[in-house]
């Protein structure tokens, strides 16, 4: 008879073989507790980022400069709500409850991306968010399509497709403004000035200071380090800024022939730590809004649950009725 310790060893070895063969781990497969915890942490924080990320752009839906721009922005913000839902769903397959995840966000136990604590002050910010923030999201998320956890990897495939459209809408706004009047071009430049450095911080702390890199690499959740992805983004964004004829706000930015990469000046990691700790320009406003909307929507969730209970009870009565005939 196989005792519990043997069964556990077998399960562990099957898990490791799966990772070695680059196969997906699925919800019902055995997995180490740490793997499950890391995934719940990352996926739920990713979901929170998508949903909180709706706020800076959502505030511009009624102020978009044309009907076409309004429709496009509306579709983008709705996509982000959808991304949040796929991701909460993926975290639920690991046994996390939606209410617990939201409570963790409200109580400051779960983070969301630092980038969404900056305000969208002008229409050009909507361009800069789409161009820079969504480009950064794509660079970070493409490798997550190969993440070892099946439901997360599959959610990423769909999300990445939608992110490409988001990026293009942002770049198109920037292009229109940069080729517009002097005042429009100045507005685009000002947005780039304010969003450039916070976008670089989205990739997380330098690898040397990353808490989770080593475990996440071993578990094939992360495929690249924070610095490598940040560099990839910079190398893509600099020529795009040249096409726009806008200046990246970094006097030390320079092409390094030897490495084949752009080199940048120092990132203000104190600012990053401050924003992540809750003291960015909009942290309080973002969380207060999320709490308010959650409270306002409580009656909808209660009605949906009451309806589901009623439907279940009716189904049960019908089955009992059929059985007694
Ligand atoms: N902001 O060990 P590390 C979007 C935290 S949605 C805040 O490197 P990890 C979009 C990190 O959580 C974009 N916190 O961590 C939506 C950890 O703290 P905890 C969101 C950050 O997880 C709407 C600590 O710092 N994308 O694009 O290995 C509209 C140490 O870091 C940040 C994702 O969530 C940050 N920027 O790597 C438009 C992608 N960076 O958790 C666009 C999925 C780090 O121990 N997530 N921290 O308390 C990831 O790929 C990884 O979680 C990260 C960080 C690369 C972000």
């Amino acid at each position: 008879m196989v005792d519990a310790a043997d069964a556990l060893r077998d399960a562990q070895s099957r898990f490791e073989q799966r990772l070695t063969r680059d196969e997906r781990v699925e919800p019902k497969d055995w997995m180490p507790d740490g793997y499950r915890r890391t995934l719940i942490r990352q996926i739920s924080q990713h979901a929170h980022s998508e949903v909180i990320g709706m706020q800076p752009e959502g505030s511009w839906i009624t102020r978009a400069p044309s009907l076409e721009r309004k429709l496009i922005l509306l579709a983008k913000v709705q996509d982000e709500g959808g991304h949040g839902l796929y991701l909460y769903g993926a975290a639920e397959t690991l046994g996390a409850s939606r209410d617990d995840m939201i409570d963790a966000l409200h109580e400051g136990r779960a983070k969301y991306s630092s980038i969404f604590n900056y305000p969208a002050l002008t229409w050009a910010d909507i361009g800069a968010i789409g161009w820079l923030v969504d480009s950064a999201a794509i660079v970070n998320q493409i490798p997550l399509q190969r993440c070892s956890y099946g439901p997360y990897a599959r959610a990423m495939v769909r999300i990445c497709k939608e992110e490409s459209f988001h990026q293009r809408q942002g770049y198109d706004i920037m292009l229109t403004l940069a080729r517009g009047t002097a005042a429009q071009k100045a507005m685009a430049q000002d947005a780039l000035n304010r969003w450039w450095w916070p976008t670089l911080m989205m990739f997380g702390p330098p690898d040397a200071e990353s808490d989770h890199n080593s475990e996440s690499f071993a578990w094939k959740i992360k495929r690249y380090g924070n610095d490598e992805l940040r560099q990839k983004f910079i190398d893509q964004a600099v020529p795009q800024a040249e096409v726009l004829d806008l200046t990246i706000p970094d006097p030390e930015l320079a092409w390094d022939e030897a490495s084949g990469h752009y080199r940048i000046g120092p990132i203000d990691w104190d600012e990053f730590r401050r924003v992540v700790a809750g003291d960015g320009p909009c942290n309080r406003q973002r969380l207060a809004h999320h709490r308010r909307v959650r409270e306002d929507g409580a009656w909808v969730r209660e009605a949906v649950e009451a309806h589901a209970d009623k439907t279940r009870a009716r189904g049960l009565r019908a089955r009992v009725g059929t059985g007694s005939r």
Side-chain angles (χ1 to χ4, degrees), residues 13 30 44-45 110 132 136 157 164 172 174 190 199 202 208 242 254 256 271 280 296 310:
S13 126
W30 182 91
S44 65
Q45 297 191 155
L132 300 172
V157 172
S164 320
D172 185 63
M174 292 304 270
D190 172 59
T199 302
M202 279 177 75
E242 281 165 9
D256 177 30
E271 174 177 326
D296 287 352
K310 236 171 95 191

Side-chain angles (χ1 to χ4, degrees), residues 3-301:
D3 67 14
D6 285 338
L8 181 62
R9 258 193 304 279
D10 279 356
Q12 264 163 348
S13 126
R14 272 198 304 278
F15 172 80
E16 274 150 26
Q17 280 166 20
R18 207 168 261 136
L19 293 190
T20 309
R21 290 196 297 259
D22 246 335
E23 288 171 8
R24 299 279 167 270
V25 177
E26 296 298 337
K28 289 190 175 155
D29 294 335
W30 182 91
M31 60 187 85
D33 289 344
Y35 177 82
R36 187 185 296 278
R37 265 197 312 276
T38 287
L39 280 167
I40 292 176
R41 175 188 62 79
Q42 177 167 328
I43 300 173
S44 65
Q45 297 191 155
H46 194 167
H48 300 327
S49 303
E50 295 283 355
V51 172
I52 297 280
M54 296 166 78
Q55 291 187 36
E57 291 173 294
S59 73
W60 277 94
I61 292 172
T62 52
R63 295 180 285 171
S66 70
L67 179 60
E68 193 192 7
R69 293 286 187 202
K70 190 194 288 278
L71 286 172
I72 295 171
L73 183 59
L74 193 60
K76 177 182 196 281
V77 174
Q78 281 177 341
D79 281 352
E80 280 148 12
H83 297 176
L85 294 181
Y86 312 150
L87 290 165
Y88 284 125
E92 281 168 332
T93 65
L94 290 154
S97 103
R98 182 87 58 108
D99 284 341
D100 288 348
M101 292 188 270
I102 306 280
D103 286 347
L105 170 69
H106 289 175
E107 290 161 14
R109 286 180 286 115
K111 299 184 166 85
Y112 59 89
S113 182
S114 49
I115 192 75
F116 301 116
N117 292 308
Y118 292 85
L121 301 177
T122 71
W123 174 251
D125 289 32
I126 299 306
I129 293 173
W131 169 36
L132 300 172
V133 176
D134 288 296
S135 289
I138 293 169
V139 168
N140 166 269
Q141 288 169 185
I142 282 183
L144 289 173
Q145 297 180 124
R146 291 189 297 117
C147 157
S148 57
Y149 188 58
Y152 192 29
R154 288 189 288 275
M156 278 303 130
V157 172
R158 183 150 171 197
I159 290 176
C160 283
K161 283 187 187 149
E162 292 174 353
E163 295 290 11
S164 320
F165 145 66
H166 296 175
Q167 194 274 349
R168 288 174 67 152
Q169 71 87 38
Y171 197 72
D172 185 63
I173 292 174
M174 292 304 270
L175 205 53
T176 306
L177 292 174
R179 291 179 179 171
T181 63
Q184 286 171 324
K185 186 165 180 188
M187 201 159 94
Q189 180 64 56
D190 172 59
L192 170 57
N193 294 348
R194 286 180 291 103
W195 288 91
W196 175 254
W197 292 104
T199 302
L200 299 188
M201 295 174 196
M202 279 177 75
F203 293 92
D207 289 333
E209 289 166 35
S210 159
D211 302 325
H212 304 292
N213 259 1
S214 55
E215 273 192 330
S216 290
F217 284 143
W219 284 327
K220 296 193 173 173
I221 295 171
K222 265 172 133 169
R223 301 278 180 163
Y224 299 97
N226 301 351
D227 291 323
E228 197 174 351
L229 292 178
R230 189 171 8 253
Q231 186 64 55
K232 197 173 165 58
F233 164 80
I234 294 165
D235 291 342
Q236 281 179 10
V238 174
Q240 290 169 348
E242 281 165 9
V243 172
L244 293 171
D245 193 26
L246 296 178
T247 308
I248 299 220
D250 179 357
E252 292 180 43
L253 181 75
W255 173 251
D256 177 30
E257 196 66 55
S259 64
H261 293 295
Y262 285 94
R263 291 287 161 236
I264 58 164
I267 295 176
D268 183 351
W269 290 113
D270 284 342
E271 174 177 326
F272 171 74
R273 279 187 284 270
R274 238 185 358 261
V275 173
V276 172
D279 203 17
C282 300
N283 297 57
R284 288 169 194 80
Q285 180 188 333
R286 299 285 183 249
L287 278 180
H289 182 78
H290 195 277
R291 280 196 199 96
R292 195 168 52 246
V293 170
R294 179 129 182 106
E295 278 161 25
D296 287 352
W299 70 271
V300 178
R301 292 190 298 281

